[in-house]
Structures are given as C-alpha cells and as structure tokens.
C-alpha cells in the first residue's frame, strides 16, 4: 500500500488530489455534535494543501436515498468546520459531479481545499450494479489526477468512491488509514496479553462474527449494552422487556460453551439498572430506575445500564490487561442516569497500563460526550463497522483497492 509520504515525495504541487474522507458526523440540525471524524482526517488534508495540491474532499453523510440533494444530509456544515480546523477558506460544491463540482474544482489554486456534496446523493455511489457504480467512479475520476484514501469508516463498503475510484487514478493511503491499520494489527497479529475485549451496543447479531473470531484470540470478553440481555436469557434468566434477540439465543449458547472449553473468560453483568420506561434523551428528565441482580430482572422492566457491582467487576478484569479493545457503550449513555456504566469502562481503560483502543462509532462518541480526554487513550478509531470487520478477518474493499 503506497503511503501519502511516498506520494508527497513524488510531488503533488498543482495536482488535483481527491481525498476520500469520512465526514459522516452526527448533526443536530446543521450543528455538528461531534467533530472527531473531521479532526481525524485534517492532518492528511493539511499536509497535501501545504505541499501545493489542489485538494478535493469527498465523503458520505447519513443514508440519503440517492435521488439528489437532501438538505438534511448536506456536507455544508462539515465543510465549514473543516475550514475552521485548517484555518483557511474551504470552497463548497453543491453537487457531486455536476456543474457546481466542476466549477469549484476548476477554480482551485495550489494549496486550496474544496469539499464536494454528499456522495450518496448520487445512486451510483452505493449501487450493487458494477456498471452503474463504475460510471459514477468515471465521473469522479474526471475531477482529479490522484486519489488518497483516508475514510477509514467507509473502507468496508464496496462503494464507487471507496472501491472503484482508486482503480482509475494513481492512489495512496492517507495518514488516518495507515494509523488505523497499524493499530488493528496490534489487535490481531501482534497482541500483548492479557488481551481484554469489551463489547457493548444494542444488538448481539452485530457482534456475532467478531465474537466468533475473538474466542480464539482474546483472554477475556466482557459483555454489556443491549446485547447482554440475549446472553443472560441464554443462561435461563428472566430479562423482562429488555432488548432481546431470541433468534440468536442458540448461537449465543454455542459461543458460551466454546468460551468455557477454550479457556476464554466470557464475563456477563451481575447487576443492572432497570426501569419500566426508556429515558427521555432530548430533555434528559430524571429517570426512575432501580438496581437489581442480573438474574432478578422484573418481567415488566427493561435493563438500561450495567450496575455498580458489574462496573467494579469489569474494572478488575481490565486492570491487569496489556491490550484492551472496546466497541460499544454498555448502557444508554446519552442519558446521565444511565451513563455510569460506560463512564466506568472508559475510566478503567485510562486507569490501566494497557494499549487501549476505542473502536469507533458510539463508543468513540461516548468518550468525547462524557468529557474524557481522547488523547489519553491509545487510539480512538473512526470506524466501528470497519474495525469489527477487520477483526472478523474479512477483506475490506477499500483497503484492497489501495493495495492494488
């Protein structure tokens, strides 16, 4: 995989460099609530601009229908924030490959940066039809001379700007992708033990493939979040109205048996916070809840966070680790009354001397929203889904394209 430093050594002054970034940031209206992904790609963009490249930044945001511009999914706020981080004006094109994009790119001078509109406004970006996707990649290729892949959060997608476009232009990997891949190698091929994995999030089905792989690699797997209740149900416990995937219970039982046979410590909550009502995440009015043992969840209540004894237990399981990978919050952290479990996991990572990796998505957002210094962790990934698929041993289309 060619590095951006190799590309810079060859010279990029005056060249149109297409940077496939991941600016898929959470928005409240047009206000960015977490700019972590923009900050993560900023070093690559800044270095290219400083070297005299004419930088064209492209990304997706959300899941528009692919039928044209949808204002709610516009990248305009991300372009504005990127300009603030760069300390320079960033031009913005109101389309992807149309008149605005062509004019905006044509107007760039050496060292200037432009952002084109959401790639997913064009159906060709995400099409499963190779010809349709390729045709869109051809249009994107007309805008640029060189391609730099730095949108790690999208490398597990076989999309036009991620997979097809690199085949049409000289290409290299940006700093973010190089860092992410290096970190993931430390979680797979170069692991220091004890290796502890913390898995949370809503659905156990989202994590089955990675659990399957980790049962042969991790020393301990700590389970939290909504997915924990399928494990507790598989143990024969009442889980009330908690999130439950009954169709995954047999698979979960199989994994629990495998963990016991292979000596992997699979740790489940011993107590949980429960309520009859899901919390108000907008107004954040105080919640009414109680703490119960994990095997004593009332039939009319829902588990919403791990309890205080589980927090202590999980912290003790992390304390002596040399490597920790955490993916997924262990409770409804968006509400202050149910943020205690996720806060405890983050603090346990900081208190350990381990190499700590926060695996993107909601867990990365939680670290920032809960006020932790993200620089205190070993690495905060920008791509939860991409990280998981790498750990599952899958070939990621975006990485394969950059290696081609």
């Amino acid at each position: 995989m060619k590095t951006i430093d190799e590309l810079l050594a060859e010279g990029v002054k005056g060249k149109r460099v297409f940077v496939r970034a991941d600016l898929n940031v959470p928005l409240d209206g047009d206000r960015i609530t977490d700019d972590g992904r923009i900050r993560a790609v900023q070093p690559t963009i800044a270095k290219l601009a400083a070297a005299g490249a004419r930088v064209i930044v492209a990304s997706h945001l959300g899941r528009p229908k692919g039928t044209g511009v949808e204002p709610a999914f516009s990248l305009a706020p991300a372009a504005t924030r990127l300009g603030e981080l760069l300390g320079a004006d960033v031009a913005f094109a109101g389309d992807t490959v149309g008149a605005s994009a062509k004019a905006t790119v044509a107007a760039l001078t050496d060292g200037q940066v432009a952002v084109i509109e959401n790639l997913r406004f064009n159906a060709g970006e995400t099409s499963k039809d190779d010809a349709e996707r390729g045709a869109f990649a051809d249009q994107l290729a007309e805008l640029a001379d060189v391609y730099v892949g730095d949108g790690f959060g999208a490398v597990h997608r076989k999309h036009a700007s991620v997979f097809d476009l690199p085949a049409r232009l000289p290409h290299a990997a940006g700093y973010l992708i190089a860092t992410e891949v290096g970190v993931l190698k430390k979680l797979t091929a170069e692991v220091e033990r004890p290796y502890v994995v913390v898995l949370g999030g809503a659905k156990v089905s989202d994590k089955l493939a990675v659990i399957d792989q980790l049962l042969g690699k991790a020393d301990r797997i700590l389970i939290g979040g909504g997915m924990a209740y399928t494990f507790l149900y598989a143990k024969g416990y009442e889980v009330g109205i908690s999130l439950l995937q009954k169709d995954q219970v047999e698979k979960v039982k199989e994994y629990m048996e495998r963990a016991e046979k292979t000596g992997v410590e699979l740790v489940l909550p011993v107590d949980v916070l429960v309520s009859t009502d899901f919390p108000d995440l907008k107004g954040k009015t105080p919640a009414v809840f109680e703490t119960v043992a994990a095997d004593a969840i009332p039939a009319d209540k829902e588990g919403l966070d791990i309890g205080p004894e589980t927090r202590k237990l999980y912290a003790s399981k992390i304390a002596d680790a040399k490597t920790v990978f955490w993916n997924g919050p262990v409770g409804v952290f968006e509400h202050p009354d149910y943020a205690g479990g996720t806060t405890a996991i983050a603090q346990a990572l900081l208190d350990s001397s381990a190499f700590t990796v926060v695996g993107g998505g909601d867990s990365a957002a939680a670290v920032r929203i809960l006020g932790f210094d993200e620089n205190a962790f070993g690495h905060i990934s920008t791509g939860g889904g991409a990280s998981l698929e790498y750990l599952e041993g899958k070939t990621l289309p975006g990485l394969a394209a950059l290696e081609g």
Side-chain angles (χ1 to χ4, degrees):
M1 189 182 295
K2 188 174 185 176
T3 68
I4 189 171
D5 286 331
E6 291 173 316
L7 178 67
L8 289 165
E10 294 171 359
V12 294
K13 184 175 175 60
K15 291 184 178 179
R16 300 170 301 163
V17 180
F18 186 104
V19 178
R20 195 351 174 147
D22 180 8
L23 309 180
N24 185 27
V25 291
L27 294 171
D28 182 3
D30 60 359
R31 183 179 68 87
I32 296 170
T33 58
D34 180 7
D35 67 354
R37 284 176 169 159
I38 304 175
R39 286 185 287 111
V41 76
Q42 186 249 351
T44 291
I45 296 168
K47 197 70 175 283
L48 287 165
R54 303 177 182 192
V55 186
I56 305 141
V57 183
S59 176
H60 69 285
L61 191 151
R63 297 177 182 273
K65 299 179 179 66
T67 54
V69 173
E70 297 180 47
F73 297 109
S74 175
L75 281 173
T80 299
R81 181 60 182 143
L82 177 60
E84 292 170 353
L85 292 169
L86 292 171
D89 289 337
V90 169
F92 183 68
D95 56 28
T96 55
V97 291
S100 179
K102 290 174 182 174
T104 301
V105 171
L108 288 176
T109 59
D110 295 359
Q112 288 190 320
V113 178
V115 174
I116 63 173
E117 189 54 285
N118 193 334
L119 292 162
R120 291 186 184 175
F121 287 166
N122 190 303
E125 169 67 2
T126 59
S127 176
K128 289 184 169 58
D129 181 84
D130 290 349
E132 183 180 14
R133 215 176 50 246
F136 183 49
D138 288 338
Q139 291 178 291
L140 291 173
E142 291 176 7
L143 297 175
D145 305 304
V146 180
Y147 176 94
V148 171
D150 215 26
F152 181 74
V155 293
H156 59 315
R157 306 295 187 193
K158 193 177 181 180
H159 290 171
S161 66
V162 175
F163 178 74
D164 301 274
L165 185 55
R168 289 158 168 78
L169 295 170
H171 52 267
Y175 292 121
L176 176 60
I177 279 186
T179 299
E180 295 272 14
V181 171
V183 166
L184 288 168
K185 284 181 179 176
K186 289 186 178 181
L187 299 179
T188 50
E190 306 160 7
V191 182
E192 285 194 61
R193 299 183 179 281
Y195 177 21
V196 178
V197 176
V198 184
L199 293 177
K203 294 182 178 179
V204 69
S205 55
D206 293 340
K207 305 287 168 66
L208 285 177
V210 76
I211 293 172
D212 183 49
Q213 288 294 314
L214 290 169
L215 284 173
K217 295 182 174 71
D219 298 298
R220 298 175 200 136
I221 302 175
L222 318 182
I223 303 292
M227 63 183 286
Y229 302 101
T230 300
F231 279 86
L232 294 173
Y233 187 87
K235 287 191 73 172
Y237 296 169
E238 167 68 61
V239 297
I241 57 172
S242 305
L243 189 60
L244 171 64
Q245 290 185 283
K246 283 191 176 181
D247 60 329
Q248 303 297 336
V249 169
E250 291 308 311
K251 180 59 71 176
V252 164
K253 285 181 179 178
E254 177 194 322
Y255 285 173
M256 290 165 70
E257 290 169 4
R258 271 179 58 195
E260 190 171 352
K261 288 177 184 176
T262 56
V264 176
E265 198 176 353
L266 188 62
V267 189
L268 302 179
V270 295
D271 63 343
V272 295
L273 272 57
V274 298
S275 176
T276 54
D277 300 307
F278 194 83
D280 167 24
L281 300 182
K282 284 287 186 184
K284 294 183 171 53
T285 53
V288 177
F289 64 89
E290 62 177 316
T291 303
V292 300
D295 61 355
I297 298 174
D300 64 341
K301 294 192 176 180
E302 176 181 13
L304 296 164
D305 194 11
I306 58 172
E309 293 306 314
T310 304
R311 296 169 198 174
K312 292 178 192 173
L313 172 64
Y314 284 13
S316 73
K317 298 295 182 182
I318 291 168
D320 68 341
K322 295 295 184 188
T323 305
V324 183
F325 173 66
W326 172 29
N327 182 279
V330 295
V332 186
F333 75 91
E334 298 91 341
H335 192 285
D337 290 331
Y338 300 116
T342 301
T343 299
I345 295 296
Q347 189 61 54
L349 265 66
L350 293 183
D351 291 342
S352 78
S353 60
F355 175 65
T356 55
V357 179
V358 181
D362 288 340
S363 38
V367 163
R368 290 186 277 265
I369 290 169
L370 296 174
F372 288 93
D373 177 6
E374 58 190 291
N375 295 317
F377 297 87
H379 180 68
I380 296 184
S381 178
T382 57
S387 296
L388 288 177
E389 291 199 15
Y390 188 102
L391 294 178
E392 289 166 20
K394 291 183 178 179
T395 297
L396 305 188
L399 296 185
L402 290 174
E403 288 166 354

